[in-house]
Amino acid sequence: MAQVTQDVNEGMPLEEERAKDEETGAIEETEAKAPEAETRTPSKKKLIVVTAVVLATIALIIGLSVGLTQRNKIDDSKTNTSLSIKPAEPKNNEETIMSTQNPNIDIFDNAAVVMNETKLELKELSSGEIMSYREFNKGQPHNLVYLPGFMTDDSLASILAVLPQFQDHHIIAVNPIGWNGSTMKKSVYAHEENADQVMELLEAIGIDQAIAMGYSTGGGIAFYLAQKYPDVITTAF
């Protein structure tokens, strides 16, 4: 009985020691895991901080780009404003009519004024027909015969007369048979017949050499003029 009691008493410390060993082992394991947790936590924090820095940098770059763009627009606006020069006003009505260099002057208004100021001339031909025409820019060295198309007249030539490219051209704008003062006693005229009558007109007003320009019906007349009278009509288009 005494021996059993002793064994039991001796066994108690062993169990307590085992429990202590297990408890110690658990503590050591916990302590071993703690550094890992501490190691992971700074990594996550570091990632968050880096991400925030990157986003802030991108936002700063975008902000600077927008700011520079707006500043450039303002600078360009100031530059354009400072460089804009008001065109000089024409000195008199003649300059207003003839000047096409000034963008503030409407070229069609100029043409209308020139058209109204240029007299419509009439010439009776050997066929008995009367052919009407206008002469723009008289006295210039190059002669240009303008031949309008069907159902149009000499008025479009007034636009050529005010263009800078034609300032050195004496423009003879011929009205087709039956239009704007030109008579039409026959019901049908071929382009070649029209060309003959135009040539008679040119000879009558003293045109010995010219360029022929026409479209539609006028183009057909210009073709026959160049074909039949190459010594007078040097170029046709």
Side-chain angles (χ1 to χ4, degrees), residues 171-189:
I171 302 173
I172 305 99
V174 182
N175 285 299
I177 291 296
W179 288 97
N180 199 22
S182 292
T183 62
M184 186 175 181
K185 296 180 179 181
K186 284 177 57 176
S187 59
V188 178
Y189 273 98

Side-chain angles (χ1 to χ4, degrees), residues 20-225:
K20 288 182 179 180
D21 291 339
E22 291 177 354
E23 184 179 356
T24 301
I27 293 172
E28 291 176 353
E29 184 177 358
T30 302
E31 291 176 353
K33 290 180 179 179
E36 294 180 4
E38 292 176 359
T39 303
R40 291 175 186 172
T41 302
S43 298
K44 292 181 180 179
K45 290 182 179 179
K46 183 178 181 180
L47 179 61
I48 293 172
V49 171
V50 171
T51 303
V53 171
V54 171
L55 292 175
T57 303
I58 294 174
L60 179 61
I61 292 172
I62 294 173
L64 289 174
S65 299
V66 172
L68 289 174
T69 302
Q70 294 297 326
R71 190 183 70 178
N72 290 336
K73 288 182 179 179
I74 294 172
D75 292 343
D76 292 341
S77 176
K78 291 180 179 179
T79 301
N80 293 335
T81 302
S82 62
L83 292 179
S84 61
I85 301 174
K86 184 179 179 180
E89 295 182 358
K91 296 180 180 179
N92 52 50
N93 291 335
E94 183 178 356
E95 289 183 8
T96 303
I97 293 170
M98 298 306 298
S99 174
T100 57
Q101 303 297 326
N102 191 331
N104 292 332
I105 299 176
D106 190 335
I107 191 170
F108 294 105
D109 289 344
N110 288 346
V113 172
V114 170
M115 181 70 180
N116 291 332
E117 292 183 349
T118 304
K119 183 181 177 182
L120 181 68
E121 305 285 350
L122 300 175
K123 181 67 64 175
E124 185 174 359
L125 305 177
S126 60
S127 63
E129 299 285 10
I130 294 176
M131 184 166 283
S132 67
Y133 64 97
R134 278 189 173 89
E135 294 183 77
F136 300 96
N137 301 341
K138 279 186 176 182
Q140 296 305 317
H142 306 294
N143 295 317
L144 172 63
V145 181
Y146 174 81
L147 302 162
F150 180 65
M151 296 184 69
T152 57
D153 57 24
D154 60 306
S155 59
L156 293 179
S158 62
I159 298 176
L160 297 179
V162 298
L163 291 176
Q165 296 87 339
F166 293 92
Q167 290 302 299
D168 60 348
H169 283 72
H170 170 212
I171 302 173
I172 305 99
V174 182
N175 285 299
I177 291 296
W179 288 97
N180 199 22
S182 292
T183 62
M184 186 175 181
K185 296 180 179 181
K186 284 177 57 176
S187 59
V188 178
Y189 273 98
H191 290 336
E192 186 174 359
E193 290 179 291
N194 278 320
D196 292 338
Q197 297 196 71
V198 170
M199 180 52 60
E200 184 179 345
L201 170 66
L202 295 178
E203 290 175 351
I205 62 177
I207 303 300
D208 56 0
Q209 200 168 67
I211 296 171
M213 174 184 178
Y215 63 92
S216 186
T217 298
I221 298 171
F223 170 81
Y224 280 104
L225 282 171

